[in-house]
Amino acid sequence: MEDRLQMDNGMVPHKIVSVHLQESTLKELAEVEPSVEEQSVSSTQMDEVTPAATFGTTLKSGLGVVETTGQDEEEKSKLEKESESEDESNSLSDKEIDAGEHHHLHLSSCHECLQLENSTIESVRYASAEDIPELSDDCSSTREENDGCLARGIKRVNLSGKPPNILIYLGSKTAKVEFEQVKSVLQECIDVDSYTIYHLHEEQVLKAPWVDNSVLLIIATDEPISEENHKQFMKFLSKGGKILGFSSSFTFDGIQIKNKLKKAVHELVVSKMDSTEIKLNLLVSGCIFEEVMKEDTSKVKILSRLNNADKDTVIVHLSYGDSGGEAILSQAYLELDINSMDVQTEEDFNLLKISNTKRYEVLKEILISLGLNCELSKIPMLTPIYLLSSDEEIRLAFLKWLEGNVDAEGLRASSKVSLKFVSSCESKMEITPSLMPVITETGSFSSEHFNLKTYQQNLQTKKLGKILLFSEVTTTTQNLLDG
């Protein structure tokens, strides 16, 4: 918890100590309601107070949380009501008191801070053409350390509104090699600039916030799916998620798996979206799909059968729920490269090699049908940044501050991206990843992706979010205000 606490002056607590208050002390606290001035502690006084006492006082006055022993329910209720009233008075007072007068202890889950943040995010959400994805709270580690973190690397929100994360579930095994194999094949099919691929580990299925933060889940394991995991996967589908199964035991509704054949290379007939058929040879797990008699069979569509006497089903499409949830389940190893397969004969190897191009064609067809973009995206041209404000007084104050913080040419340099403040947009203006112009006079500003008037109407804060830097296309927002 120490990592989630910080002072206004940047200091962080070294250690958190629980404070236990006796019943007599609690009664005294309940009778006396300290004023804001008494609750605030100057930086000089804080040096004289122990960390435990400082933290305990802040919990009482700022958060209304006290760890107690031997306290009956009546007194506890009384304290909670008084703490709530203190919260309201402190929240209002803190907005009026200059931050330099004293230092408050803030949590990242502080109610007031979250209210301000959520208000600004909601304002942008209303004013933007697409919804903002929900992100996880864990942002403490570096990108390299969190290559598997599910809520990172969000580049673009897709049409379904979900962040474009693709997850690969490989069961309880670490399966790093298998993950790289599946990831490599996917990257050859999808637009890599639109999606980020992560490994969904077994321990993350029930804990990580991936259900709302992913557009596609790939299940590529023949291990039995536990009941808890199955429920979580179905929850993902019920929220409009897409699932692609590669020779897995996962299934639902009117489809069941039957172990009928040997694991071998078979010829498949695949039905394409344009109603044509394509024949190719693929390694099949040995299992097939069978339909269970149910009233509603319209949600089940057969995409591929074996080219044998029984016309056994090996790829099916299932729809689920009212939010657009879909699953395509395959008992053919579409995800495996030829060199990754344990092929018994040279004849089988040659059959797979000949069908390799068609395998990619079928895999792309499946990914497209699940709503993914498989076209290579063109890199758009960079656009200038616009200085926007919902409050003219604050805007003028910002411009005045800017005069003393830029050079004679209006340039504010940093290690990665330099900002050049100019009054108007010029046709021959230089825009590069390291030099971005900022237009300060924005009377003629317009964008199909953002409406400033709608943003103003929905912004409910006093100061936060009043100044905006808006750009249609930029390389990253993280480096713009570096330093």
Side-chain angles (χ1 to χ4, degrees):
M1 191 171 178
E2 286 88 346
D3 294 337
R4 294 175 66 87
L5 294 168
Q6 65 175 359
M7 308 290 290
D8 280 351
N9 62 355
M11 295 176 62
V12 294
H14 177 66
K15 184 179 181 181
I16 296 175
V17 181
S18 299
V19 178
H20 297 272
L21 302 180
Q22 295 180 354
E23 188 174 346
S24 59
T25 308
L26 289 171
K27 287 181 179 178
E28 293 176 9
L29 286 173
E31 292 171 359
V32 182
E33 189 170 321
S35 65
V36 176
E37 288 79 7
E38 292 171 336
Q39 293 171 21
S40 65
V41 183
S42 68
S43 58
T44 305
Q45 291 172 322
M46 286 182 69
D47 292 338
E48 301 171 0
V49 182
T50 63
T54 304
F55 187 66
T57 303
T58 307
L59 281 180
K60 174 66 181 70
S61 63
L63 303 175
V65 178
V66 179
E67 189 171 349
T68 65
T69 57
Q71 182 179 7
D72 59 52
E73 293 299 318
E74 182 178 351
E75 290 173 334
K76 192 180 293 184
S77 176
K78 185 178 180 182
L79 278 174
E80 287 175 354
K81 289 179 181 178
E82 292 183 2
S83 296
E84 287 174 4
S85 66
E86 288 175 349
D87 283 344
E88 292 175 4
S89 63
N90 289 346
S91 178
L92 291 172
S93 301
D94 287 348
K95 293 178 183 178
E96 305 299 329
I97 298 174
D98 184 64
E101 293 181 17
H102 61 274
H103 301 294
H104 298 289
L105 188 63
H106 284 282
L107 278 89
S108 63
S109 57
C110 168
H111 177 69
E112 183 185 349
C113 296
L114 285 176
Q115 250 188 344
L116 290 171
E117 181 183 7
N118 291 336
S119 175
T120 306
I121 290 175
E122 283 299 315
S123 304
V124 177
R125 189 193 301 267
Y126 280 112
S128 302
E130 297 173 331
D131 287 343
I132 295 175
E134 297 295 333
L135 304 180
S136 72
D137 291 331
D138 181 18
C139 298
S140 57
S141 305
T142 63
R143 178 65 184 269
E144 291 75 20
E145 293 172 337
N146 287 283
D147 195 38
C149 181
L150 305 182
R152 293 291 198 294
I154 293 177
K155 297 180 181 178
R156 188 170 71 204
V157 178
N158 58 26
L159 295 177
S160 69
K162 287 181 177 290
N165 297 325
I166 298 175
L167 311 182
I168 301 174
Y169 174 71
L170 296 162
S172 59
K173 303 172 184 177
T174 306
K176 186 171 179 64
V177 175
E178 289 82 352
F179 169 73
E180 292 299 333
Q181 288 174 348
V182 179
K183 180 181 178 181
S184 176
V185 171
L186 282 175
Q187 287 176 329
E188 293 185 52
C189 296
I190 62 173
D191 174 16
V192 293
D193 292 325
S194 297
Y195 304 95
T196 310
I197 303 171
Y198 298 107
H199 187 176
L200 178 64
H201 297 279
E202 178 70 23
E203 62 273 13
Q204 294 175 315
V205 175
L206 301 179
K207 296 180 180 179
W210 64 271
V211 171
D212 296 315
N213 290 334
S214 309
V215 68
L216 175 67
L217 169 66
I218 294 175
I219 305 175
T221 177
D222 56 4
E223 291 181 3
I225 307 294
S226 68
E227 185 178 347
E228 293 79 8
N229 287 358
H230 191 278
K231 286 181 180 179
Q232 192 77 330
F233 295 160
M234 296 306 295
K235 180 182 177 181
F236 176 60
L237 286 174
S238 68
K239 293 192 172 187
K242 316 291 183 181
I243 289 181
L244 176 55
F246 289 135
S247 304
S248 74
S249 60
F250 175 77
T251 187
F252 59 94
D253 280 359
I255 289 294
Q256 67 180 11
I257 295 174
K258 180 180 179 181
N259 197 340
K260 180 181 178 181
L261 311 167
K262 288 184 178 181
K263 182 178 179 180
V265 177
H266 293 270
E267 186 178 53
L268 281 67
V269 180
V270 180
S271 301
K272 298 181 68 178
M273 285 187 289
D274 60 2
S275 300
T276 60
E277 292 184 342
I278 182 173
K279 290 183 179 181
L280 72 161
N281 290 282
L282 289 175
L283 183 64
V284 178
S285 68
C287 296
I288 61 169
F289 294 108
E290 286 188 339
E291 291 187 61
V292 181
M293 292 302 293
K294 277 197 172 186
E295 294 181 4
D296 187 8
T297 57
S298 61
K299 294 184 177 181
V300 180
K301 182 180 179 181
I302 298 173
L303 298 184
S304 178
R305 298 180 184 272
L306 294 180
N307 194 16
N308 59 7
D310 295 332
K311 306 294 181 183
D312 295 312
T313 303
V314 288
I315 304 178
V316 292
H317 175 279
L318 306 172
S319 55
Y320 185 82
D322 301 322
S323 300
E326 296 176 276
I328 292 182
L329 310 177
S330 171
Q331 289 301 323
Y333 291 98
L334 286 163
E335 79 281 14
L336 293 183
D337 187 78
I338 305 171
N339 298 320
S340 305
M341 301 180 195
D342 185 18
V343 183
Q344 300 296 323
T345 65
E346 187 178 346
E347 182 184 357
D348 285 344
F349 181 84
N350 291 332
L351 287 172
L352 293 174
K353 188 175 181 180
I354 293 171
S355 298
N356 199 43
T357 303
K358 293 181 179 179
R359 177 175 69 92
Y360 276 100
E361 183 181 342
V362 170
L363 185 53
K364 276 189 178 182
E365 179 98 357
I366 288 174
L367 292 169
I368 292 171
S369 68
L370 289 174
L372 272 73
N373 180 14
C374 291
E375 295 181 3
L376 294 177
S377 61
K378 295 180 180 179
I379 300 176
M381 298 289 290
L382 294 174
T383 61
I385 300 171
Y386 289 90
L387 175 66
L388 306 178
S389 178
S390 58
D391 188 302
E392 183 63 19
E393 185 179 345
I394 294 178
R395 177 180 169 275
L396 293 175
F398 178 79
L399 290 175
K400 187 176 181 180
W401 170 87
L402 201 60
E403 291 176 3
N405 287 274
V406 296
D407 63 16
E409 296 181 356
L411 191 68
R412 182 167 176 84
S414 69
S415 60
K416 296 180 180 178
V417 181
S418 295
L419 302 179
K420 185 173 184 179
F421 291 84
V422 295
S423 59
S424 60
C425 184
E426 301 172 3
S427 58
K428 295 182 179 180
M429 187 177 293
E430 182 184 15
I431 308 175
T432 67
S434 60
L435 180 62
M436 299 289 290
V438 181
I439 314 300
T440 58
E441 298 296 332
T442 54
S444 60
F445 169 79
S446 65
S447 170
E448 61 176 316
H449 300 296
F450 184 78
N451 188 306
L452 183 60
K453 186 177 180 180
T454 306
Y455 175 80
Q456 291 172 334
Q457 292 171 349
N458 288 277
L459 188 65
Q460 299 175 7
T461 58
K462 288 186 176 180
K463 291 186 178 181
L464 190 68
K466 298 289 185 179
I467 294 288
L468 299 174
L469 292 177
F470 178 83
S471 179
E472 297 277 0
V473 182
T474 185
T475 54
T476 176
T477 59
Q478 294 182 5
N479 299 331
L480 288 179
L481 299 177
D482 175 44

